[in-house]
Amino acid sequence: MTILVEKRSGYRLITLNRPERLNALTLRMGDALYAALGEAEADQSCRAVLLTGAGRGFCAGQDLAAVGEAPLGDILEHYNPLIRKIRALPLPVVCAVNGVAAGAGANLALACDIVLAARSASFVQAFARIGLIPDCGGTWFLPRLVGAARARGLAMLAEPLPAEMAAEWGLIWQAVEDGKLIDEAHVLAARLATQATQGLALTKRALDAAEINDLDRQLDVERDLQAEAGRTADYTEGVRAFLEKRPPVFTGR
Ligand code: LHQ
């Protein structure tokens, strides 16, 4: 099985599982990952997702031995829905980058909401090495996360960016000691799974909308999404818990 799914308390752990190929993606694997995300979304008890890779790599991007199976544009017809799915998933997605994240593998990680990486991991926009452009959202994520100059350097030089520098540059949330990565990622996913799930989903939507809106339009988006957040039971609970000076018990509703 190229994708492993484990149900944990409140969240699902999804593991890319072709360790002998550094979890390089094939079409079947991309489709299986898409299906796993859909199943997580459909499961009422699932309130967060944790994505990681088996073995010493996170994901080496498209399996270059399998590119012959379809034209490149057709391959992206399979991967683009995956990136859209992660961004639109009404659940927080934590990514634990356990080793090298290259090409589409790097941008798969960047599509997630909170990215932790092992100190020994690195991010490589490997595309330029083989005459391609950054895909799976790379040309959109990079300038927004690290600015135009660094985006161009990463995309055109295709050099590995070590995890710590990735965190310093704002490409990811945190670099973590190798031995602590997976435990810390689980703690984070478990914590997010106890939060106001709908509020977090609306936060994702608002932040993505902000990438294309001017302030005027974004204030309207905030008004509309906040009205939705204000109709959730978790909002009622959050305020009540604050006034009663106790921790909130959110149900994700
Ligand atoms: C691999 C791969 C791999 C197959 C390691 N494929 N076997 C493209 C086309 C179509 C449309 C959609 O979009 C895309 C987007 C893309 O993702 S393009 C970019 C594709 N990825 C790359 O160009 C990265 C290729 N890999 C590497 O540069 C290195 O393997 C990295 C820097 C990731 C890791 O280097 P090392 O740690 O030195 O590991 P390694 O190179 O020895 O790899 C271990 C094994 O995994 C090795 O097999 P072997 O049989 O020799 O042990 C590699 O051949 C295999 N592998 N990446 N993408």
Side-chain angles (χ1 to χ4, degrees):
M1 296 239 279
T2 56
I3 298 291
L4 304 176
V5 181
E6 284 174 48
K7 289 187 193 178
R8 299 295 179 99
S9 173
Y11 64 100
R12 286 184 181 206
L13 170 66
I14 301 181
T15 306
L16 308 175
N17 188 41
R18 294 183 75 218
E20 70 291 349
R21 283 283 167 272
L22 302 179
N23 304 314
L25 297 165
T26 60
L27 290 185
R28 277 181 64 178
M29 191 174 169
D31 292 345
L33 179 55
Y34 183 89
L37 291 166
E39 284 159 21
E41 183 179 353
D43 174 358
Q44 288 293 313
S45 70
C46 179
R47 292 167 62 190
V49 169
L50 171 54
L51 177 66
T52 193
R56 73 175 176 90
F58 170 69
C59 176
Q62 165 65 31
D63 186 322
L64 295 176
V67 277
E69 63 187 329
L72 301 190
D74 291 357
I75 295 177
L76 282 181
E77 288 294 337
H78 289 252
Y79 296 160
N80 284 350
L82 193 54
I83 301 299
R84 293 190 176 107
K85 187 82 180 166
I86 292 172
R87 298 302 281 197
L89 204 73
L91 304 171
V93 182
V94 176
C95 186
V97 178
N98 51 299
V100 66
N107 297 333
L108 175 65
L110 299 184
C112 298
D113 296 307
I114 300 194
V115 185
L116 301 180
R119 275 192 217 289
S120 67
S122 60
F123 295 81
V124 200
Q125 295 293 323
F127 310 87
R129 293 184 188 171
I130 54 168
L132 294 183
I133 67 161
D135 60 21
C136 291
T139 58
W140 194 85
F141 296 130
L142 289 172
R144 284 169 171 77
L145 291 168
V146 299
R150 284 170 168 169
R152 274 174 203 246
L154 291 172
M156 299 181 81
L157 299 174
E159 287 170 6
L161 184 72
E164 262 176 279
M165 201 175 285
E168 272 170 38
W169 285 13
L171 188 74
I172 63 167
W173 173 241
Q174 257 174 16
V176 176
E177 265 178 57
D178 285 22
K180 293 189 174 161
L181 175 75
I182 199 66
D183 287 350
E184 289 206 15
H186 276 289
V187 167
L188 199 56
R191 176 175 140 201
L192 285 163
T194 64
Q195 299 304 299
T197 313
Q198 291 190 47
L200 296 180
L202 293 165
T203 299
K204 285 179 69 157
R205 267 171 64 190
L207 288 172
D208 272 359
E211 299 293 351
I212 51 164
N213 284 338
D214 58 21
L215 175 61
D216 199 44
R217 176 87 194 89
Q218 188 63 15
L219 288 171
D220 289 345
V221 168
E222 289 180 359
R223 174 202 59 209
D224 294 345
L225 297 183
Q226 195 71 297
E228 260 189 70
R231 287 192 291 271
T232 63
D234 282 342
Y235 165 64
T236 308
E237 164 62 8
V239 174
R240 187 177 296 143
F242 175 80
L243 295 175
E244 293 172 0
K245 298 188 187 301
R246 60 170 175 82
V249 182
F250 292 125
T251 58
R253 288 177 221 285

